[in-house]
Amino acid sequence: MMSSTDRFRLAFSIRMPRRGFWTALALLLVTLTTACSVGRQPLDFRRENLQKEILRTGLEPQELILPDELTPEMKNWVRKAVPITGEARDRLEALLDAMLQEGENLLGAEFLGVNYASGYTGTAEEVFDSREANCLAFTHLYVSLAREIGLDAYFMDVYQAERFERDKDLIILSGHVTAAHGVPTRPLVLEYSVGPNVDYRYVERIGDVTALSMYYSNRGAEELQRGRLPEAVEWLRTAVTLDPQLADAWVNYGVALRRQGENRSAEEAYRKALAVDPRELSAYQNLRTLLRIEEREAEAADLDAVIEQLGDRNPYNYLNLGDMNLRQGLVEEAEDFYRKALRLYPDFSEPYAALGILAYHLNDRGDAERWLKRAQRKDAENPRVQALDKRLYPDRYREQSMARFLTVDEPAKPELPEPSAGAEGEGVDEGLNDGPGSAPESGSDGALDSELESAAPDSDGVRDRR
């Protein structure tokens, strides 16, 4: 079957009759000019709107680092790397291949071979040069290149794609962002794999200003990790100015201000994060830490119940902590967190799959298969469930690239089942007390906050997109 690139080359190799040649050539040039002008509309429209929105914040676009800006070299590259004609999905996939694969296409465009790297959040130009990107940096590059060739791509935030990491006295909660194309009710979403547990059925479109604010928030969090507080404060001040509705940026800004000794401003930042998102657990925890530093124990105690309720009733917190412990080789601790998630939400598929993956790592295939069956009865389409299935039965799956596009019908926020009324008891699901190692439970159900405090008692929580 002829590829889009081959059809493109063939179209320009057909010999035309001498009679009417100049007329045909004129028509061809008019067609190409029209196509180019139409193709530039999404880029020009988006750029103009972005600059207007930046100006409304009181900032000057020319004074900002805009991570999606393309150099002439990058513009020339994408025009050679991707056919100028064809279906939108074919061209989106051709761009994706050109960014991720190595080698070159038939037109002589060298592929980029970009590798995933969770650290520094580069601009599009920096990613193009270094060939390394985290998810936010990769998405900025992809969206800007797609728009350059007339494909109206946009940004998507992915729900519940978070993972915990510790870095000295910081607890970093990293989310995920990606690109999409098409109508918002049925978008074509880029599945760029940063891990096996990202569920792209649950996404939300975000604007260019929010994506820009996320870039500044990421850079501020990175400066926090390096201990460069003045630089972190500047990055994060810009982030919250660009998008005051980005709770993550307010949380990070508060951490930077507190560590710089500006406690009153830090408290204001945490409270603004909570005004934007009253369920922002990191803001509550960081605010309580600040109150205790200032010996405002009564106010700090008032937050305890809120933190316990928010943290202890969210199974993703336990799953993330289990994953973090498993990466560090702490098997019993990982199992403990997975089982807490399972007791809390026995109708939720992910804890079963997590325990199955743990059993697989412990070379207990029989137990892993039993956990898989239970998980599949809850939600066979869940990515963590599918990751376990692929580990156990790799022959069922054809090899896939690390990225692809999928159509998402009616994107929505994930809805968890109701917490189990028997969460404090045992045996709320068939075989609940089976499992890898049957490790004894440590501590009471819940108590997520005390688990975090014992792991890093003087830590602040920061958030980013990696």
Side-chain angles (χ1 to χ4, degrees), residues 226-448:
R226 295 181 178 93
R228 300 172 59 178
L229 295 179
E231 292 85 351
V233 167
E234 287 303 313
W235 283 103
L236 293 164
R237 182 182 291 121
T238 302
V240 298
T241 303
L242 284 166
D243 187 359
Q245 296 302 305
L246 185 61
D248 299 7
W250 284 112
V251 170
N252 296 349
Y253 190 36
V255 173
L257 290 168
R258 185 188 74 77
R259 294 189 171 208
Q260 198 164 255
E262 301 178 46
N263 285 9
R264 179 169 295 183
S265 296
E267 181 175 344
E268 291 176 0
Y270 294 145
R271 295 193 184 279
K272 285 181 179 178
L274 293 172
V276 172
D277 183 0
R279 299 186 61 82
E280 179 52 68
L281 184 60
S282 297
Y284 283 112
Q285 291 170 326
N286 292 348
L287 177 58
R288 185 185 57 183
T289 297
L290 185 152
L291 294 174
R292 285 186 171 154
I293 288 172
E294 296 188 336
E295 299 181 350
R296 295 156 65 183
E297 289 296 337
E299 295 174 72
D302 289 340
L303 295 180
D304 286 342
V306 178
I307 291 170
E308 183 176 353
Q309 179 68 17
L310 285 176
D312 288 358
R313 310 311 285 178
N314 187 344
Y316 287 105
N317 289 332
Y318 292 114
L319 290 166
N320 286 333
L321 287 167
D323 294 342
M324 182 175 69
N325 279 279
L326 186 57
R327 287 195 297 270
Q328 296 172 355
L330 303 175
V331 174
E332 291 187 1
E333 290 83 350
E335 181 181 355
D336 188 36
F337 282 120
Y338 292 150
R339 284 182 174 276
K340 285 176 179 177
L342 180 55
R343 282 197 304 279
L344 184 62
Y345 285 93
D347 290 328
F348 187 39
S349 64
E350 288 209 38
Y352 297 91
L355 286 162
I357 291 173
L358 178 59
Y360 177 84
H361 282 295
L362 296 175
N363 296 317
D364 191 343
R365 184 180 181 89
D367 210 32
E369 289 175 342
R370 286 190 290 273
W371 286 116
L372 175 62
K373 289 178 181 178
R374 294 168 190 154
Q376 288 175 329
R377 287 201 295 266
K378 308 298 181 184
D379 182 2
E381 299 301 315
N382 180 276
R384 195 186 291 255
V385 178
Q386 292 183 337
L388 175 57
D389 193 40
K390 289 177 183 179
R391 283 174 167 85
L392 290 170
Y393 308 106
D395 293 342
R396 295 178 182 175
Y397 296 87
R398 291 179 298 176
E399 185 176 350
Q400 290 183 341
S401 65
M402 68 176 293
R404 63 190 178 113
F405 278 92
L406 68 158
T407 301
V408 178
D409 290 312
E410 299 294 340
K413 294 183 179 180
E415 293 185 6
L416 293 174
E418 289 299 315
S420 169
E424 299 299 328
E426 294 185 353
V428 293
D429 188 84
E430 174 195 359
L432 175 61
N433 298 309
D434 302 338
S438 296
E441 300 295 340
S442 61
S444 60
D445 291 352
L448 171 69

Side-chain angles (χ1 to χ4, degrees), residues 23 44 53 93 95 104 108 116 119 136 168 189 222 226 235 247 249 291 308-309 325 332 363 393 419 421 432 452:
T23 301
D44 296 340
E53 290 187 57
E93 291 178 344
L95 173 58
E104 63 179 38
Y116 176 78
L136 181 59
K168 300 176 184 176
V189 177
E222 289 158 10
R226 295 181 178 93
W235 283 103
L291 294 174
E308 183 176 353
Q309 179 68 17
N325 279 279
E332 291 187 1
N363 296 317
Y393 308 106
L432 175 61
L452 282 173

Side-chain angles (χ1 to χ4, degrees), residues 452-465:
L452 282 173
E453 285 193 336
S454 65
D458 299 320
S459 294
D460 286 311
V462 297
R463 300 180 61 97
D464 62 17
R465 298 296 194 285

Side-chain angles (χ1 to χ4, degrees), residues 51-309:
Q51 292 182 348
K52 288 180 180 177
E53 290 187 57
I54 291 172
L55 288 170
R56 290 192 194 105
T57 70
L59 299 173
E60 294 292 333
Q62 65 270 21
E63 296 177 0
L64 297 178
I65 296 174
L66 300 179
D68 60 345
E69 287 192 330
L70 303 180
T71 64
E73 177 190 1
M74 296 163 72
K75 294 176 181 180
N76 291 334
W77 175 85
V78 72
R79 294 187 194 114
K80 289 179 64 178
V82 182
I84 64 171
T85 60
E87 296 292 329
R89 180 165 189 154
D90 292 339
R91 299 178 69 215
L92 289 165
E93 291 178 344
L95 173 58
L96 185 59
D97 288 343
M99 290 175 63
L100 292 176
Q101 295 179 6
E102 296 181 352
E104 63 179 38
N105 68 4
L106 296 175
L107 297 179
E110 181 182 357
F111 292 156
L112 298 183
V114 175
N115 294 310
Y116 176 78
S118 64
Y120 177 74
T121 305
T123 64
E125 182 178 0
E126 288 171 330
V127 173
F128 189 85
D129 291 338
S130 70
R131 307 300 203 253
E132 287 190 346
N134 60 25
C135 73
L136 181 59
F138 184 89
T139 303
H140 271 292
L141 176 60
Y142 186 89
V143 167
S144 58
L145 290 173
R147 291 175 179 175
E148 179 64 28
I149 55 174
L151 297 168
D152 193 13
Y154 50 87
F155 297 89
M156 281 281 199
D157 200 18
V158 184
Y159 290 107
Q160 304 295 4
E162 298 167 333
R163 60 193 189 278
F164 284 115
E165 292 181 10
R166 293 181 204 157
D167 184 3
K168 300 176 184 176
D169 58 350
L170 289 174
I171 297 175
I172 303 162
L173 184 58
S174 297
H176 185 44
V177 68
T178 190
H181 175 273
V183 294
T185 55
R186 201 168 187 266
L188 195 62
V189 177
L190 169 59
E191 185 180 27
Y192 180 55
S193 298
V194 298
N197 307 322
V198 180
D199 196 336
Y200 288 89
R201 294 175 294 177
Y202 304 114
V203 291
E204 179 182 33
R205 183 171 180 170
I206 57 175
D208 287 9
V209 170
T210 298
L212 177 59
S213 178
M214 286 179 176
Y215 166 77
Y216 271 83
S217 184
N218 262 31
R219 293 291 293 112
E222 289 158 10
E223 296 295 355
L224 267 173
Q225 288 179 262
R226 295 181 178 93
R228 300 172 59 178
L229 295 179
E231 292 85 351
V233 167
E234 287 303 313
W235 283 103
L236 293 164
R237 182 182 291 121
T238 302
V240 298
T241 303
L242 284 166
D243 187 359
Q245 296 302 305
L246 185 61
D248 299 7
W250 284 112
V251 170
N252 296 349
Y253 190 36
V255 173
L257 290 168
R258 185 188 74 77
R259 294 189 171 208
Q260 198 164 255
E262 301 178 46
N263 285 9
R264 179 169 295 183
S265 296
E267 181 175 344
E268 291 176 0
Y270 294 145
R271 295 193 184 279
K272 285 181 179 178
L274 293 172
V276 172
D277 183 0
R279 299 186 61 82
E280 179 52 68
L281 184 60
S282 297
Y284 283 112
Q285 291 170 326
N286 292 348
L287 177 58
R288 185 185 57 183
T289 297
L290 185 152
L291 294 174
R292 285 186 171 154
I293 288 172
E294 296 188 336
E295 299 181 350
R296 295 156 65 183
E297 289 296 337
E299 295 174 72
D302 289 340
L303 295 180
D304 286 342
V306 178
I307 291 170
E308 183 176 353
Q309 179 68 17

